[in-house]
Structure formats: structure tokens, C-alpha cells
Amino acid sequence: MEQILNILIADDNPSDRILLKAILSQFGHNVISAVDGQDAVEKFDPDSIQLVCLDVKMPRKDGWEAALEIQRAAGDLFVPIIFLSGVADPIALSNCLRIGGTDFISKPYSPALITAKLNAIVRLLVMQKTLEEQRDAMSLYNEQLVHDQNVAKVVYENITHSNCLKDPALSTVHYGTHTFNGDVILAAYKPNGGMHLLLGDFTGHGLSAAIGALPLADIFFDWTKKGFLMRQIIPEINARLKSILPANMFCSAAFVDIKVNNKSIEIWNGGLPDLLFFSQQSKIPARFESKNLPLGILPPDVFECQIDPVTFVPGDRLVVFSDGVYEAQDKSGAMFCHSVLNPLYEGEIADDRALDWMVEQLTQEGVLENPHDDISCLSVRLDSNIGIESPDHGVPTSHHEAPADFSFEYLLNADSLRNTDPLPYVLQIITTVPGLSSFSSQIFMILSELYSNALEHGVLGLSSYKKSSSDGFSQYYDEREQKLAALKEGYVKISVKVTSSGNERVLALYVEDSGSGFDYQNISFDMSSSELLYNRGLALLDQLCHKLEFSKGGRGVTAYYHWQVGQDS
């Protein structure tokens, strides 16, 4: 194993020092000489020295003292130290190893022994370097993962929490094992009164849940608002999940349709634990077991919906929970479904206390301290007035209804700018707005121009003059990559807001950077101009957008994109 090392040797004996240097240099290594321990400490550079050889007995500072100071200077870096000694005193040699020495070489020097020890040191250094690279890669991956989870969590909550979970008839419990929860609870009022409910449990945890949660929520809310029936929505969700999820991923779910006009509910259970229906006419709750496969497993042509109908009177209650409760283990190792939940199944727990009681049991058995699965519970107090007084009730069903106004913000720091391309994520969120997906190409063009200007000219401070020639164009992007790789501070903030008024829809894209800004008052919006390419980009934005607004000395720009209901791209 060949590797050229930078080696620092310290020996007060000139002949021994010169001999060792000659031997090491013969093997191709770079050698730096020091006349004593103090000289060695002064010449040691942890960023360039890979190996240190110290004579034990030296004036001013002996080898042991020098070794301790060199180790302090090296900090977390691993720099092997080999001690040189002309005596074979076992105590002295053991002391060399005790204070952190890697090995020792006895005088007079044997080239064969030095070669063998150097090869061993090289193998050790290569192994250490590999471990450090793996550690750094894992650290970077973990930072990226945490960042992505936080972003996905914001997106997830913006979409899945845009519902009526605050309705007084509903009670929920939601605990996640990760930053991002693999369970989802959705609730939406129906146009004719009543409510649709869905509790889903995706396989896996963390970001994997985002793969299915977003389209699931999109279909659930959009189709419910447009007046589709539960038996129409479920197959559509299944088809969408089947088309996008990997083969080993699916969503166990329960879908509940509350029909206030005839005081009934319909229950679809696909892979979740039994739903519990607490009727005032019976002490023991009725159990609705799973009669369907989870969503995303069967192809559309063989998917079937087996639905259980049941009537209710005001005051009855329905309780749904995920596998995180059913399969949780108590302190004795028994699953909740075989031990803790028995009083609930036997009707010994009041229905209005069911969720609080389950949380108490989960806490008492230590499950919430170290959950092995996401935990979600939903309780519904059934009533014939659910959804009747909701803000959505009475809104005419239309395929061109206005999207709900919403906004979100995406902030990227230096680490994120180096390692993340936010445009696909942001565009995916924006195009979930009904009607806006038809203009995805234009939106992407606007967003990419705003972001590239903010990153390249704002954060990185690049000048577009270099792009005036083909060679300069290549140099420009080489410089871009170099500056981006070395970026230590800076940010780009992307804010998105969708508003509606009548038939008019407005998408406001605001992008802000940490740069020094620019003179936006003298921008040419003439597409025929041969000026800077970023001016041409802004000219394109000026054509695509209804309006461009600059702020903060050019560090911030807002692009307004208007479209109307029924407008085609």
C-alpha cells in the first residue's frame, strides 16, 4: 500500500536525525526535521503533518511533553506518533504508549523494520480517513434528511390540516415517531351537510409518508368539496396511490361518511384495527373489522369497496385508531390488543373518555416515551347537525371552484443552497392548486428565473458579463459551482401566496436573497435588447407576469401571476 506522507521527525542527535530522514525520504515521504521537542511543537501543523516521530530524550522539551502538546494541537484529527528510543527500558516504552503513542522504533534503525511499521501506519491512516469520510457523509446526509423532513412537515401540515378537524364533534390524538408523521387524519365538510373522515397509516415513517399523503389529501378534499360520494373517492385514491407508490408501500385506512340527512354513517375499513361504534342502545361497542385491502395495493380493475352502513342517534360515538395503538406493547411485552384495550372493547370505558383513557394507558405503559410506530386516534360524537352550519355548506358544486387561499414559506440557508434544489418541491406544492396545474410550465419558468437570479447574482455575487461569450459562459458556471461548494453563509427565501377574488386568481411568488441587491430602477424589459442575460430573464418575467415588484434594494422581488376560472393554458 503506497501513500506519500508528510512526516515530522524530532531528534537532538544530528546523525540519527539525518539517517532517519534519509531512510524515510528513500521511500518517497516528505520529511520535516526538528532539533528537539520544542522545535517539533513549533513546526507541527495538524493540517499538513500525517505522522510524527519523536525521540524520547531531548533538551528543552522531551518526547513525552512534545507528544502531549502535539495531540492538543491536533484536536479531533488523528495524527499517529512514533517514539524513537535508544534504550530498551520496558517502563519507558510502556509510558510512550500510555500517553498516546501509536508505536516505537528502537535505535539503531533497521530499514526493514521501519518499512513494516510505516506500512502498518499507512493502513491505519487510510482506515481512519475512510471512517472520517463516512462520518462526514453520514453527518451531511442526516442534516439533509432533517431539513427535508422539516420542509415536508410544513407542506404536509399546510395540506392535511386545511380541514375541519377543529369541529367540536371531533377529538384527535396524533403522535409521530419522526419529525414527519406517517399517519394522516383528514376531515372535510360535504356540500350537502355531513362530513367525510379518513384516518390513514402509511407503511414506513418520516418522509416516505409524504409520497402518498399529499395526493391522498388532495383527492380527499377536492372530491369531497365537489360533492363526490365516498364510494367514488376511495377508488380514485387507491388508483392514484397504486400508480405512484413503490410496490412495498401502501396505506391502511378507514373512511367514514357521515350522512346527516338520514342519520347514518358508512364505514370503509382497509387494513386498520376494528372501528368501535358506541351506541346508546348497547353497552358493548360494535366492532367494524377490516373487509378491504389497504389503499395502493390492488390495481383499479380489481379494486372493490365493501362498506358497512349503520344508523345513529345524536350522542352515539365512533372511535378509530391506527396500528400504533393496537400493536403497542405494555411493560410486560404483551400487545395492547390482547391486554390493555380489553376494557374498551368490553364497554367498561365511557365512550366520551375513550381517547383520554387511551392516552393515559399509552403514557402509563411507557409507549409515548419510546413509540415504535406513529399513533393516531379519532373520536366522532355523531350528531345530525354536523356540517350543516359549516362555512362550506351551501356553496354550489362546480368543477371550477376557487381554491382555498393559502400561503407557505421556504427558507434555504447556506447548507440547503449547496445541497438542495427546491424548485421541484415548491412547484409540486403550487400545482396542487386546482386549475393552476395547467400553467405549470409557465410557473416553473417564473420560479426558476427568480430563484437562479437570487442564488447566482444575489447570494453568490456572480456577474452576467461573463456569459457574453461561449468561453465566458462556461467560466461563469464553473465559478458558480466553486462558489456554491464553498458557500458558508447566505439564504434565499421563497414565499408563495394564492388568493382568489370572484373568478380572478392570483399567485404571488416572492423571492428574497441575502445579497447586496442591484439597481432595478434602470432595468430594460426590452426582449430585443442584447444587454445582460439576467435583464433578458427579467424581461421574460415581465411578459409572463401581471406585475413585478422589487423591494429591499433589489434583494426581494415579487412576481404576480393572474389566471381566471375556466382559463386554459
Side-chain angles (χ1 to χ4, degrees):
M1 185 179 301
E2 296 184 0
Q3 180 173 330
I4 303 302
L5 302 179
N6 294 324
I7 304 175
L8 173 64
I9 63 173
D11 195 325
D12 62 321
N13 188 316
S15 59
D16 288 344
R17 185 171 65 248
I18 294 173
L19 176 60
L20 181 58
K21 180 176 181 180
I23 295 174
L24 296 176
S25 299
Q26 183 180 2
F27 297 136
H29 300 295
N30 302 317
V31 180
I32 301 170
S33 298
V35 298
D36 55 39
Q38 181 62 39
D39 190 25
V41 171
E42 294 172 355
K43 290 182 176 179
F44 175 72
D45 181 359
D47 296 325
S48 60
I49 302 297
Q50 286 97 39
L51 175 63
V52 177
C53 298
L54 299 174
D55 188 21
V56 175
K57 303 296 183 180
M58 290 186 292
R60 289 207 296 169
K61 190 166 290 182
D62 61 30
W64 297 330
E65 294 173 319
L68 293 174
E69 292 197 26
I70 286 174
Q71 288 174 339
R72 283 194 292 268
D76 294 333
L77 293 175
F78 173 66
V79 180
I81 297 177
I82 296 180
F83 285 98
L84 313 172
S85 177
V87 297
D89 182 3
I91 297 178
L93 296 179
S94 65
N95 192 43
C96 294
L97 300 178
R98 181 181 59 80
I99 65 172
T102 304
D103 205 341
F104 54 84
I105 298 176
S106 299
K107 300 178 182 180
Y109 300 128
S110 167
L113 180 61
I114 292 176
T115 300
K117 289 184 179 290
L118 279 179
N119 286 337
I121 292 296
V122 168
R123 288 194 295 269
L124 188 61
L125 288 172
V126 170
M127 184 184 302
Q128 180 68 22
K129 183 175 179 59
T130 301
L131 290 174
E132 290 176 353
E133 291 175 349
Q134 292 176 344
R135 178 203 63 195
D136 294 342
M138 288 298 294
S139 177
L140 181 62
Y141 173 79
N142 185 64
E143 291 177 5
Q144 180 69 28
L145 181 61
V146 171
H147 168 74
D148 286 347
Q149 285 179 331
N150 289 332
V151 172
K153 187 172 185 289
V154 172
V155 176
Y156 174 87
E157 291 179 349
N158 282 343
I159 294 178
T160 60
H161 289 188
S162 300
N163 52 39
C164 53
L165 287 177
K166 293 184 179 180
D167 189 291
L170 304 180
S171 301
T172 61
V173 173
H174 218 34
Y175 291 94
T177 58
H178 292 71
T179 302
F180 197 83
N181 198 324
D183 291 355
V184 58
I185 301 178
L186 307 176
Y189 296 120
K190 301 190 297 181
N192 59 343
M195 182 186 291
H196 278 164
L197 298 165
L198 187 147
L199 190 151
D201 180 2
F202 282 90
T203 50
H205 308 289
L207 284 176
S208 62
I211 298 174
L214 300 184
L216 181 149
D218 180 44
I219 295 172
F220 177 86
F221 291 125
D222 188 41
W223 284 48
T224 296
K225 189 173 184 179
K226 291 178 178 179
F228 286 98
L229 303 176
M230 180 178 74
R231 60 184 69 251
Q232 296 172 304
I233 299 174
I234 294 174
E236 179 66 17
I237 293 176
N238 177 77
R240 182 74 65 86
L241 295 184
K242 176 62 177 176
S243 67
I244 66 172
L245 295 182
N248 62 342
M249 186 175 177
F250 52 83
C251 179
S252 298
F255 200 126
V256 179
D257 183 359
I258 302 176
K259 301 181 176 183
V260 294
N261 57 334
N262 61 1
K263 296 182 181 178
S264 69
I265 58 175
E266 289 186 342
I267 298 172
W268 181 92
N269 187 354
L272 281 189
D274 295 352
L275 279 69
L276 304 181
F277 176 68
F278 293 86
S279 170
Q280 299 178 65
Q281 309 301 320
S282 174
K283 177 183 177 181
I284 299 178
R287 298 169 64 166
F288 292 88
E289 64 183 14
S290 172
K291 297 180 179 179
N292 305 272
L293 287 176
L295 298 168
I297 294 180
L298 294 177
D301 57 338
V302 296
F303 182 79
E304 295 181 356
C305 281
Q306 295 193 44
I307 296 174
D308 292 313
V310 60
T311 59
F312 70 84
V313 296
D316 289 348
R317 189 176 293 268
L318 185 70
V319 175
V320 191
F321 46 86
S322 65
D323 286 343
V325 176
Y326 190 78
E327 297 177 354
Q329 294 184 353
D330 61 22
K331 293 180 179 179
S332 67
M335 291 175 58
F336 267 40
C337 58
H338 299 312
S339 57
V340 176
L341 295 180
N342 287 334
L344 184 65
Y345 291 144
E346 298 299 325
E348 299 174 8
I349 308 301
D351 58 354
D352 59 345
R353 287 203 65 250
L355 259 61
D356 291 338
W357 179 83
M358 279 193 282
V359 172
E360 291 172 2
Q361 302 309 306
L362 291 166
T363 303
Q364 181 177 324
E365 298 296 333
V367 176
L368 295 184
E369 295 178 2
N370 186 27
H372 297 289
D373 195 2
D374 299 317
I375 294 172
S376 295
C377 308
L378 169 66
S379 175
V380 189
R381 179 176 49 81
L382 298 167
D383 191 277
S384 56
N385 292 322
I386 292 177
I388 296 297
E389 303 299 330
S390 73
D392 294 338
H393 180 62
V395 178
T397 300
S398 168
H399 289 284
H400 301 293
E401 292 181 43
D405 295 354
F406 75 99
S407 64
F408 67 91
E409 183 175 284
Y410 197 108
L411 181 63
L412 300 104
N413 58 19
D415 288 339
S416 302
L417 292 172
R418 287 197 310 270
N419 304 304
T420 304
D421 178 9
L423 298 188
Y425 303 107
V426 177
L427 184 67
Q428 182 181 4
I429 304 170
I430 293 175
T431 52
T432 60
V433 177
L436 196 53
S437 59
S438 301
F439 310 98
S440 59
S441 60
Q442 297 178 27
I443 299 302
F444 186 81
M445 192 177 302
I446 295 171
L447 188 60
S448 61
E449 188 64 31
L450 291 173
Y451 178 73
S452 62
N453 281 345
L455 176 61
E456 296 173 10
H457 307 308
V459 177
L460 301 181
L462 297 172
S463 171
S464 289
Y465 283 106
K466 291 187 177 181
K467 294 193 287 186
S468 58
S469 66
S470 58
D471 290 340
F473 198 86
S474 177
Q475 293 173 5
Y476 176 89
Y477 282 101
D478 287 342
E479 184 179 354
R480 179 189 186 276
E481 293 306 311
Q482 293 172 4
K483 285 194 171 185
L484 189 59
L487 187 65
K488 299 297 183 184
E489 59 183 13
Y491 72 87
V492 172
K493 179 168 68 176
I494 301 174
S495 298
V496 179
K497 184 176 183 180
V498 175
T499 57
S500 58
S501 177
N503 291 335
E504 187 76 13
R505 312 287 183 263
V506 179
L507 169 65
L509 296 173
Y510 173 74
V511 178
E512 176 184 324
D513 63 73
S514 57
S516 57
F518 68 103
D519 184 11
Y520 59 86
Q521 296 179 344
N522 294 318
I523 293 175
S524 172
F525 290 113
D526 183 4
M527 286 293 289
S528 63
S529 172
S530 59
E531 296 182 3
L532 299 181
L533 290 184
Y534 73 82
N535 275 355
R536 293 176 61 83
L538 291 176
L540 177 62
L541 289 178
D542 187 60
Q543 288 192 354
L544 291 174
C545 301
H546 179 77
K547 182 174 60 173
L548 286 177
E549 286 183 350
F550 297 92
S551 57
K552 298 187 176 181
R555 295 193 301 108
V557 57
T558 305
Y560 296 91
Y561 184 85
H562 291 207
W563 81 100
Q564 291 184 339
V565 171
Q567 179 183 347
D568 294 325
S569 58

